[in-house]
Amino acid sequence: MERGVLRLKRGREKRARTHPWIFKGDVADVTDVAPGSAVTVVDAAGRFVGRGLYNPRPALCCRLLTWTDEPLDAAFLRRRLGQALALRARGRPGLPELGRLVWSDADGLPGLVVDRYGPVLVVQCLTLGMARRRPLVLDALGTLTSGLPVFDLDETAAARLEGFEPARGWARGAGPASVEVAEDGVRFRVTLGAGQKTGLYLDQRENRARARGLAAGREALDAFCYTGGFGCHALAGGARRAVLVESSPEALAAARENLALNGLTDRAEIVAANAFDELRRLERGGARFGLVVLDPPPFARNRTAVDAALRGYKEINLRAMRLLEPGGHLLTFSCSHHVTEALFEDVCRAAAADAGVRLRVLERLAQASDHPVLLTVPETRYLKGLLLEAA
Ligand code: SAH
């Protein structure tokens, strides 16, 4: 059994029994334990609470992996990975070809993300403890996925915070430089190690399908389009035309390639611009769309940035609402962890009031179901959206 013991302050065990995150402020004392090692977490009276991986460097110093008195060894990781994959395989013959197979805290594997892009897996270690266990994770994945090649793609910011060298590149042997994947029949080329997230915004998959179903015969606007996800789906769904707006040249180059790959280039207009400016310009020009998608980056990366973020959300939503034709649909999102669903809805309400537009809430949208939400871990519900219809 592990030697390290982390004792919580009195009263902090309640949250720790259902939430995996322990902050330095929750800790009464810790025995001498090497960064990245396993610790047994106990309450103030010394009673077992759970076991997690410890790192004294970040404020979030321990993440619990289990609430059972069991070792965090190779067999444990393999069991947990097997459970995560089984969840994704539920109701289908095998693992999905494209999607998130393991999602950190939501799968009881804090600090680990595994995404599948067709013939390859992309693995992200986000904590020191998980980075140290990468060989065990790779061994288990090798067995569970019959040896799909793995591309390591750690996030620089997380690695810096946790104090380890981010791994980037093929974990074992070499795979292709890029892969082509199909999302509900729309093809996307993903260059491994390039772009944002692990390649695609897999969390928007179900919402792209929703947008596609609303697109037939309409003019569509995909603001913050990245590599053209919503725009390609809207066109594949029969949109007469789609305008794709994005500020990153690399993302736009990939969007062009994806449009071409699907034979959609003719009906697409690509605009390299700041979406704030472009929305204002379109509004001034009296443009109208039957379908508008607003999928901005997280404006609030920390708590103090929330006010500025809310102003940003209000501004783009106000403009987008004014661009809607009667009966038109707006899919609007926030992926900022610090902006709650209620707060986001308030901002959209304020935007509609200022825009003088009446809208029906057709649906509340969230991240794709392969990014599960834990009731007691509200941080797992980070992507919020509304599907609005101009009355
Ligand atoms: N909807 C996309 C994901 C969007 S992610 C999909 O389904 O794949 C947000 C995108 O907004 C990123 O590609 C980022 O480069 C871009 N972006 C960030 N700030 C921007 C701005 N001010 N104007 C235009 N694009 C911006």
Side-chain angles (χ1 to χ4, degrees), residues 62-73:
C62 176
R63 304 209 194 200
L64 290 162
L65 279 81
T66 183
W67 288 266
T68 302
D69 194 354
E70 59 186 335
L72 303 182
D73 55 9

Side-chain angles (χ1 to χ4, degrees), residues 196 201 208 224-226 230 246-248 273-275 295 297:
Q196 303 167 23
Y201 282 79
R208 283 189 287 261
F224 307 91
C225 74
Y226 184 47
F230 280 96
E246 165 66 48
S247 58
S248 148
N274 180 334
D295 186 19

Side-chain angles (χ1 to χ4, degrees), residues 43 55 61 79 106 114 163 167 199 205 212 246 261 274 285 314 356:
D43 68 10
N55 183 0
C61 63
R79 269 197 314 278
V114 182
R205 177 183 189 144
R212 178 187 175 143
E246 165 66 48
L261 201 57
N274 180 334
K314 184 169 170 195

Side-chain angles (χ1 to χ4, degrees), residues 15-54:
R15 178 174 189 267
R17 286 192 206 287
T18 57
H19 196 298
W21 297 359
I22 294 171
F23 292 89
K24 280 182 181 163
D26 300 323
V27 178
D29 51 66
V30 195
T31 56
D32 189 26
V33 44
S37 299
V39 282
T40 299
V41 175
V42 298
D43 68 10
R47 282 178 300 235
F48 180 86
V49 173
R51 189 160 288 125
L53 298 177
Y54 178 73

